[in-house]
Amino acid sequence: MEYKQLQVFLKVCETKSITKAAERLFISQQAVSRIIANLENELNARLFIRTPQGVELTDCGGELEQQAFEFLHHHDSIVTRLGNLNREGRKEYKIGFFMGMLQMLPAHFLPDLMDAHPRLQFRLQSYPDNERSRSFQNYGCDLVMTTSPLTSGNFVQIFHYESPIGVILQRSHPLAQKRELTMADLKGQRLITLNSDNRSQSRLMNRLREWGLDAHSVVGDTEWGLTWDLLRRGYISFYAGKLSVLPDDMLGLPLTDLNLAWEFFVYKRQSKKLSALEKEILAKIRENISD
């Protein structure tokens, strides 16, 4: 298998079409078909099933898709790192984090880190919070901050923090008169939850179904302007972040019978010892992760 073959294979996986893959790659449809056929012959396995709507992955194709993503990301990371060292002679350090994670940390956390280490060339990569990102897109990173465990053997966990999931609501909301709430208090309320695809969110959605509750609105973890607007219209949102960052007219309350937590993980590369920089980052995270 060659790099170019895997690139073409993944483009067909992405577009679910030989024709569209050829257009995106600026090569002929015949060339794409030939590359896929050669790959199938080399592996002695059928990778796609042709349908009137396009192509679908076989079980073997699905396995190759995962392995190909890992290989190409690792390959590209090596090429990028060596190229940067060649051009600038400066060490590069890449931090990956999932959308919404930085709200748990102080303002300007990453820029301040960059200012404190001017000899390092930092690369920052924000990812959508979903299983595909956790499986593939973090392979070029030295440090990853995530909301669910990484299953890759390339990383080792160096920090884990849990924050109880409660709710936030406007101080003028009738339920804001209570010091704590139960799941029964939420019946009939318009509830907001996140569209994240992580372990904590899955557990929360299961618990809502058990209580016969339904999320009235689902928003992204970067859409806080919309969330504040909805809360000021009487909505209630599940929340596990820092209460000190809430607007003055918002209040956070615990849910005594939910017993779920939002998780914060930090991983580093398996092959490297914990560096002085990583010890510094961990110390700052521990100092600032909670109120």
Side-chain angles (χ1 to χ4, degrees), residues 31-60:
V32 173
S33 297
R34 184 170 60 253
I35 290 171
I36 297 300
N38 290 340
L39 197 54
E40 290 180 326
N41 289 335
E42 180 181 347
L43 297 173
N44 194 27
R46 193 175 184 185
L47 302 176
F48 295 103
I49 299 173
R50 278 68 174 178
T51 71
Q53 291 75 36
V55 295
E56 295 180 1
L57 283 167
T58 63
D59 289 343
C60 290

Side-chain angles (χ1 to χ4, degrees), residues 118-286:
R119 295 178 62 85
L120 276 177
Q121 180 176 336
F122 284 90
R123 293 180 64 200
L124 307 178
Q125 181 67 59
S126 176
Y127 304 117
D129 190 3
N130 56 48
E131 185 60 36
R132 189 179 188 85
S133 294
R134 285 188 290 275
S135 297
F136 305 128
Q137 296 193 52
N138 49 53
Y139 272 84
C141 295
D142 297 287
L143 193 80
V144 178
M145 294 182 286
T146 174
T147 57
S148 288
L150 295 183
T151 57
S152 167
N154 291 343
F155 290 92
V156 59
Q157 179 183 309
I158 57 175
F159 182 73
H160 178 214
Y161 173 80
E162 294 187 354
S163 178
I165 296 176
V167 294
I168 52 175
L169 64 169
Q170 193 173 28
R171 291 183 181 275
S172 60
H173 194 288
L175 289 180
Q177 305 306 313
K178 297 189 174 185
R179 293 188 175 182
E180 56 187 30
L181 300 178
T182 66
M183 295 295 284
D185 290 322
L186 302 182
K187 289 187 180 295
Q189 299 293 328
R190 293 173 294 175
L191 304 176
I192 304 172
T193 187
L194 296 178
N195 63 358
S196 300
D197 178 20
N198 59 43
R199 185 165 69 177
S200 299
Q201 182 66 12
S202 296
R203 291 172 175 172
L204 175 60
M205 298 306 292
N206 288 336
R207 193 63 60 84
L208 292 183
R209 284 190 287 269
E210 291 172 4
W211 279 88
L213 299 173
D214 182 40
H216 187 277
S217 295
V218 180
V219 301
D221 48 14
T222 59
E223 297 162 344
W224 283 107
L226 173 60
T227 300
W228 305 139
D229 285 343
L230 293 176
L231 292 175
R232 292 179 178 117
R233 286 166 171 77
Y235 288 65
I236 295 176
S237 178
F238 291 96
Y239 183 76
K242 299 179 71 171
L243 297 180
S244 60
V245 303
L246 296 179
D248 291 340
D249 62 335
M250 299 297 166
L251 175 71
L253 292 176
L255 282 168
T256 58
D257 53 354
L258 180 58
N259 298 320
L260 290 180
W262 180 88
E263 297 177 285
F264 185 109
F265 294 88
V266 180
Y267 287 83
K268 75 170 192 66
R269 283 186 171 275
Q270 175 74 43
S271 58
K272 296 182 178 180
K273 294 182 179 180
L274 193 66
S275 67
L277 173 64
E278 288 160 348
K279 291 178 181 178
E280 176 186 338
I281 293 173
L282 283 180
K284 290 182 181 299
I285 289 176
R286 291 192 180 100

